[in-house]
Amino acid sequence: MKNKFIVYGILSVLSFVGCDKEDDLSWNGERTNWFEIQDKPGRFNQLAYQVYRESGLPIFVNDTIGTEVRGTDAYGEPIIHHEMFVVGYSITSQLGEAGFVLSSDTANMLKAVELIRDRVIPNLPAKLLYRPYSIFLVDTLYSIDYDWKADPKSWPDNMQTAYSYRSMMGVVAGRLFEISRMNEDEQAFWAGMIVAENVAPALMEHYNDDIQDFYKVTKDAGGDYRTMYRGFASTGAPIDPNFSKECEELGFFEWKNVGRYKPAPTLFVQKTTISDALDVKEYVAAVYAYTQQKFEELYADYPFCIKKYEIMKGIVERFKQEIDK
């Protein structure tokens, strides 16, 4: 019994001490807004700061988007926190769906920001749900769209580079290595792909029946998605009928991969069509990039491309009127 009173007494003293100290508890630091672009010297920094100030859209060229000192360790050394732009980040996991190479070309960085300012931001949806949280510019981007995998041993031959990749932290925009060499139409499409990253999934969710009509055009052209066509490397003669066709004849803007493989004793060449999701994204990009008149000029010889553009243009217009308002 005596021991119980001793325990109760100790607990009472601790409770009083806790009450006395409660008012002294305080947050020793402010929460850092890592996506706030600071006014720093340098041509790129100044342009990115101007775009952020006018639009609220952060643009990064480094996956380390900020650092701060968070006290010292047991040896008196500073504890430095590095805030990273994690490609593929989600609340529960990190998806290994994209890889990248950082850019070191300031001229290409500046050109990319100018295109974002002039061709991306004016076309972004009004609703925040369909706008990128930020844009991360990289020299070269690889994504699951072109069969990229985290293990280099699994990379396909002649792996293509991607335009863009959507992540919770923002949109990663690639191909800076060639952006200054792109003509005006190609730069418009590059910008359209950034816009399309958040818009295309919404269209596939809300307008499935119309998207099925879009898919049907390619099937009517004799093509299909994720289909491999083969030819003989030595003669160029097709094994599969669509091998000798241009991708535009099937309603696509590109082949996913042109690679060689060799089931002995003959060497073959393969062409693979892109996925349905990438096809939607590319046509959404085209709608934002080109007027119908311009698109018909570019693809005058490819009626299936024009038909798919018309369908996608109608879907995007419905999205603007019914969803993004």
Side-chain angles (χ1 to χ4, degrees):
M1 180 67 71
K2 183 178 179 180
N3 290 338
K4 287 185 178 180
F5 283 120
I6 293 174
V7 172
Y8 293 151
I10 293 172
L11 292 175
S12 299
V13 171
L14 290 176
S15 66
F16 282 120
V17 172
C19 291
D20 290 340
K21 293 294 183 181
E22 185 174 1
D23 294 337
D24 295 333
L25 295 177
S26 61
W27 176 249
N28 293 325
E30 295 182 359
R31 184 175 181 180
T32 302
N33 179 5
W34 297 107
F35 288 81
E36 180 181 1
I37 301 300
Q38 303 296 325
D39 185 0
K40 297 179 180 179
R43 288 189 298 161
F44 172 82
N45 290 334
Q46 283 296 298
L47 183 56
Y49 175 69
Q50 177 189 359
V51 170
Y52 176 76
R53 188 177 57 190
E54 294 174 355
S55 68
L57 180 66
I59 301 174
F60 304 109
V61 290
N62 198 317
D63 56 341
T64 301
I65 62 178
T67 61
E68 69 178 7
V69 178
R70 295 183 173 178
T72 56
D73 62 18
Y75 300 98
E77 297 296 327
I79 300 172
I80 301 176
H81 170 76
H82 299 273
E83 187 70 16
M84 306 297 294
F85 188 109
V86 182
V87 176
Y89 169 82
S90 69
I91 294 175
T92 58
S93 64
Q94 180 180 342
L95 302 176
E97 293 185 346
F100 61 87
V101 177
L102 294 175
S103 176
S104 59
D105 191 321
T106 302
N108 284 343
M109 296 177 192
L110 291 169
K111 184 60 182 179
V113 177
E114 289 170 356
L115 286 171
I116 291 170
R117 178 193 63 195
D118 300 336
R119 304 209 60 129
V120 173
I121 292 173
N123 285 320
L124 289 177
K127 283 189 175 181
L128 293 177
L129 178 62
Y130 307 115
R131 299 169 69 97
Y133 194 61
S134 66
I135 296 177
F136 176 29
L137 301 174
V138 299
D139 178 86
T140 310
L141 173 66
Y142 302 103
S143 82
I144 195 172
D145 284 334
Y146 301 102
D147 296 335
W148 179 88
K149 296 179 177 63
D151 181 6
K153 295 178 181 178
S154 302
W155 291 356
D157 293 337
N158 305 320
M159 186 168 56
Q160 293 155 270
T161 58
Y163 280 95
S164 53
Y165 173 79
R166 183 170 61 111
S167 175
M168 279 192 68
M169 298 185 76
V171 169
V172 186
R175 297 200 178 186
L176 260 66
F177 69 91
E178 63 178 352
I179 198 166
S180 296
R181 301 195 303 269
M182 294 178 182
N183 61 36
E184 186 176 347
D185 294 333
E186 292 167 338
Q187 290 176 348
F189 185 78
W190 180 89
M193 286 294 283
I194 297 175
V195 179
E197 278 296 335
N198 287 66
V199 174
L203 302 187
M204 295 176 72
E205 177 184 357
H206 293 286
Y207 300 105
N208 181 61
D209 290 344
D210 301 271
I211 293 295
Q212 294 301 319
D213 292 338
F214 171 85
Y215 296 151
K216 186 175 183 297
V217 176
T218 280
K219 294 178 180 179
D220 289 344
D224 208 342
Y225 295 101
R226 296 184 183 275
T227 302
M228 183 178 70
Y229 305 117
R230 298 177 302 164
F232 292 101
S234 57
T235 64
I239 298 172
D240 302 302
N242 285 332
F243 175 82
S244 58
K245 292 185 178 180
E246 297 179 6
C247 57
E248 291 87 352
E249 294 181 74
L250 303 177
F252 296 111
F253 293 151
E254 62 176 340
W255 295 107
K256 187 184 72 173
N257 188 35
V258 178
R260 295 172 179 267
Y261 68 104
K262 187 178 181 180
T266 307
L267 182 65
F268 297 103
V269 176
Q270 67 181 29
K271 295 180 178 180
T272 309
T273 54
I274 61 177
S275 67
D276 52 358
L278 181 56
D279 193 30
V280 170
K281 186 165 59 177
E282 290 186 344
Y283 270 90
V284 172
V287 169
Y288 281 100
Y290 312 122
T291 64
Q292 183 157 347
Q293 179 180 353
K294 180 64 177 179
F295 187 87
E296 290 176 352
E297 291 175 3
L298 292 172
Y299 292 90
D301 297 329
Y302 305 106
F304 291 109
C305 288
I306 292 175
K307 179 63 176 176
K308 288 173 74 172
Y309 175 91
E310 291 173 345
I311 293 174
M312 189 58 67
K313 189 172 187 292
I315 298 173
V316 171
E317 288 175 351
R318 286 185 60 192
F319 167 76
K320 291 178 180 179
Q321 296 170 2
E322 300 172 357
I323 306 297
D324 184 40
K325 58 181 180 178

